[in-house]
């Protein structure tokens, strides 16, 4: 049995959904199909999830939002129409969304979760109807009825261990099961979603629960690339990658696969195959336990911008037991999460995502650090990029840091920070955001094209 | 006016104290002389401070300790005798030590501070007596009477800001002032010491308080070396170094100058000159605000062993706000201070000095981390070395990390961790203790002998 997941662009139009049907029915092992909400059809298109967020926010503010509601229903109607489905399915989708929008809005994050989840839920209903219209036995499966129970953290839920026992029973059902991604239910029966892009997580949980032979994750690229294609022309594809490598790259900025989706399949020993809906015969990228190390020590280079550095200096800081802990406590009081904390004798830096900080919060945080910790100096630096090089081969290869540092030097980029030492499969470099591209290109050249030069 | 400090080996024997006399009287600007307790005369000798610690501990345990007491007094007696001083000074030293040893032992750390401080105190009395016997106007100065007030932290005190105003008045006294290093008094009149080697701190405070033109720190080497002479034969000397560089190197394992001694002179803008009592015409090493960057980006390489790494792994750690803070709280509960905390997505490492950990504490700490933080994996690794390369020139020099990493690679040493990013003048590398020497040699070769190769 295979679990197959289709991303937003794979279900964005009737044409795409027909490809989904071809792919699923081409292999009788493809029994469980997880679907996203319709994504972009072209570059400047708007994803249904974004339309829903706008719609939900308007209802929250004004109790109304006809235009956005109409835009959502129209997207589904257009698809249904082109797939030759009856009006009935659209009436059902419209009624369902209306009910949610006019439901309980007293808890905004709970309400927004329900609105967002309808994107995947209605996508699954529509695709099940299309499969049925083609004469195939297919069933929409509701996550509540199937037992996908999650922690009660709106917008950021995690699967509960007991869900696996329930979901395992999906094995015994007949026909093709169309399962909406992205959301599940709390133990009290409320809709809760995973973090954005969480349909990958749904697929991973189902693949793990039913003990799938493989979890096929269909997207719109032939494979995971070794580097961001916006930075390097025609970059090499990754044929095989380990779970751990993939998790680090996903966290480091690779958007192809959600970083939290890997652990369920990793624990269950289910391999993942990332494939292209538009080119299904391409072998894609396989995520496995062990791989042959053919490409040298590094498997991929990820990068991300939008980081800030809070720098704190205090004479004799290193003698003060509890200084670091109290600094982190202040950040915690503002619900700020941080990424790295490089330190010197009398100073410590905290690297965090700047999207968490508005100007007022920033001022308050710096003020508290200054006054409560009696710091000699506190300042914040914005617009940093974090670059991560990942590869299990780095454990053995002694010269990897040397090669990486040489690449930075050649590109003329100053390394502002290095975080290496806890993870054995990655190294993290902080640079100015304006240096990101140059540095990534130099690293790519060092680790992936050296032999060609 | 110059403040001159003489370390333990410079006052370890009559012969050495005669050199001190020559040096001080050769320059009429040398008005304030800070002295340590007598140190080692030869390699297997015992420092008076260590004799005193033994003596104090025996009195604490048994209320007696004649043998150790005798050993201390004999050291002073031998010196006094060879200097041709009367028995009177030895009687005074013996009586003074007796009084301390038979004093209040209810607070062990306070008692030990008083016992240890007597080493410097009696050294100063003896040297003042010698200067007087040579017909020079010299006075022993008691730190309490002079106003050297410290925080009430036995064995680890810090100067109180109000001390400077008092100590400034030393300018107006006549003759050469012989001032004992290493200790001062709390506001309630109790003797408290700086951390070990703290005579450097006394000298720095005095030089800063009186606005000395220079703080001359006499020791037993011609200069500060660029690297540990046990690892590299005949290493290059440092002629000029900035306060910041020196502080980092001292912290990183350079024993020549106490790392806490730099800030008072730095703030007051007093330059430091490290010189050799046995070769006083050698220019030594100057510690200054700005230096000419002639040696390339790196000024020195320090290293130290005896570090452990507590490794903690937990799935989705990076999502858990407060995880790092709670981990540090557990260490704080055991009064453990840490040096670095490199982190990955799901893991964090805490590097700390292993001298703080006995086996029982270690087990308790790991157990608490495991159970309270629900960590998936916790383990500890011992016998790590930390290597630090220091230099203000690294700020500008883009390729420094590349050169350092290349040196590690050539030496075949695996870099276990890197901490770079908060301090702009140093980079810190963690390696196995058994790799320390090899790595330091390779770094020395890279940064100090490259042009010769």
């Amino acid at each position: 049995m295979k679990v197959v997941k289709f991303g937003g662009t794979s279900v964005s139009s009737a044409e795409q959904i027909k490809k989904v049907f071809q792919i699923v029915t081409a292999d009788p092992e493809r029994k469980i199909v997880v679907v996203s909400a319709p994504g972009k059809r072209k570059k400047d298109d708007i994803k249904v999830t974004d339309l829903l967020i706008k719609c939900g926010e308007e209802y929250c503010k004004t109790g109304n939002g006809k235009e956005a509601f109409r835009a959502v229903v129209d997207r589904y109607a257009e698809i249904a129409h082109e797939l030759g489905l009856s009006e009935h399915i659209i009436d059902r989708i419209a009624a369902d969304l209306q009910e949610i929008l006019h439901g309980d809005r007293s808890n905004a994050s709970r309400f927004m979760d329900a609105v967002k989840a309808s994107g995947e839920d209605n996508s699954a209903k529509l695709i099940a109807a299309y499969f049925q219209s083609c004469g195939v036995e297919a069933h929409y499966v509701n996550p509540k009825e199937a037992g996908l129970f999650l922690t009660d953290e709106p917008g950021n839920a995690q699967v509960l261990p007991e869900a696996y026992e329930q979901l395992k029973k999906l094995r015994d059902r007949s026909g093709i099961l169309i399962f909406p991604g992205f959301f599940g239910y709390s133990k009290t029966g409320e809709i809760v979603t995973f973090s954005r892009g969480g349909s990958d997580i749904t697929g991973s949980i189902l693949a793990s629960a039913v003990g799938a032979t493989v979890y096929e994750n269909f997207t719109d690229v032939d494979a995971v690339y070794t580097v961001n294609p916006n930075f390097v022309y025609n970059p090499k594809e990754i044929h095989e990658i380990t779970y751990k490598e993939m998790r680090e790259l996903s966290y480091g900025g690779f958007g192809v696969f959600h970083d939290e989706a890997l652990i369920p399949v990793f624990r269950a020993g289910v391999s993942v195959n990332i494939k292209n809906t538009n080119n299904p015969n391409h072998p894609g990228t396989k995520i496995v336990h062990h791989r042959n190390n053919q490409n040298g020590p590094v498997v991929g280079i990820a990068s991300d911008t939008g980081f800030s550095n809070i720098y704190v200096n205090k004479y004799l800081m290193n003698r003060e037991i509890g200084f670091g802990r109290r600094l982190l406590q202040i950040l915690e009081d503002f619900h700020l999460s941080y990424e790295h904390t490089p330190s010197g004798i009398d100073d410590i830096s905290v690297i965090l995502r700047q999207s968490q900080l508005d100007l007022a919060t920033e001022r308050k945080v710096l003020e508290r650090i200054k006054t409560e910790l009696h710091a000699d100096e506190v300042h914040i630096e914005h617009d940093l990029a974090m670059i991560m090089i990942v590869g299990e081969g780095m454990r053995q290869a002694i010269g990897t840091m040397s090669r990486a540092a040489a690449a930075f030097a050649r590109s003329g980029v100053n390394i502002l920070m290095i975080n290496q030492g806890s993870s054995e499969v990655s190294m993290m470099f902080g640079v100015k955001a304006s240096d990101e591209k140059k540095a990534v290109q130099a690293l790519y050249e060092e680790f992936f094209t050296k032999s060609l030069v």
Side-chain angles (χ1 to χ4, degrees), chain A residues 77-315:
Chain A
E78 190 183 328
I79 296 170
H81 182 75
E82 288 181 27
L83 288 174
L85 299 177
S86 76
E87 288 299 311
H88 175 69
I89 181 80
I90 293 309
D91 294 344
R92 197 174 141 198
I93 286 172
D96 174 76
L97 183 54
Q98 278 289 2
E99 194 185 322
I100 293 169
L101 290 171
H102 290 96
D104 180 8
R105 292 194 293 269
S106 60
N107 181 329
S109 58
R110 214 175 260 307
F111 169 72
M112 286 304 295
D113 262 21
V115 174
K116 285 188 287 177
S118 77
E120 275 70 12
D121 201 45
N122 286 322
S123 182
K125 285 173 185 164
L126 190 147
I127 290 165
Y130 174 65
F131 275 50
Q132 289 155 4
S133 77
C134 298
V136 166
E137 184 191 353
H139 309 279
Y140 157 80
V141 178
N142 180 273
K144 188 184 207 165
E145 171 247 323
L148 180 51
F149 292 114
L150 310 182
T151 57
D152 195 5
E153 301 171 85
N156 208 17
Q158 285 176 54
V159 66
L160 290 168
E162 55 260 47
Y164 287 98
E165 236 5 81
Q166 294 295 319
L167 294 167
K168 196 178 173 182
K169 295 176 191 157
L170 293 174
R171 290 187 64 90
D172 306 327
R173 300 206 189 174
S174 70
I176 293 166
L177 309 179
I178 313 288
F179 201 106
F182 187 44
F183 74 99
Y185 287 81
S186 71
K187 294 294 278 183
T188 53
E190 307 275 2
I191 288 176
V192 269
T193 71
F194 296 113
S195 55
R196 187 86 194 249
S199 293
D200 284 343
I201 307 175
T202 304
S204 178
I205 292 165
L206 295 188
S208 154
V210 303
T213 51
V214 64
Y215 170 30
E216 292 178 320
N217 192 291
F218 280 84
T219 173
D220 55 5
V221 287
D222 277 347
V224 178
Y225 295 110
T226 48
V227 69
N228 184 342
N230 294 324
F231 292 163
V232 173
Y233 174 73
N234 199 16
K236 289 193 178 173
E237 295 174 355
I238 298 173
H239 301 303
E240 272 195 340
I241 186 169
T242 69
Y243 298 100
K244 195 156 189 179
E245 289 170 336
M246 191 65 217
R247 183 158 153 74
E248 301 260 346
L249 285 173
S250 299
Y251 169 79
F254 271 38
V256 180
F257 197 67
H258 197 294
D259 69 321
E260 288 177 29
L262 279 154
I263 297 293
V265 279
F266 166 73
R267 289 192 176 148
V270 177
S271 68
V272 180
N273 194 355
I274 292 170
K275 290 175 75 75
N276 191 352
T277 300
N278 307 313
N279 188 15
N281 293 324
H282 191 286
T285 298
K286 287 201 174 66
I287 309 177
V288 295
H289 266 289
H290 301 288
R291 67 177 174 92
N292 292 329
N293 183 11
Q294 292 167 320
N295 297 318
V298 175
V299 73
I301 301 162
S303 64
D304 208 355
T305 53
F307 293 92
S308 295
N309 174 17
I310 298 176
Y311 171 87
V312 184
N313 177 285
K314 182 179 183 184
Y315 177 50

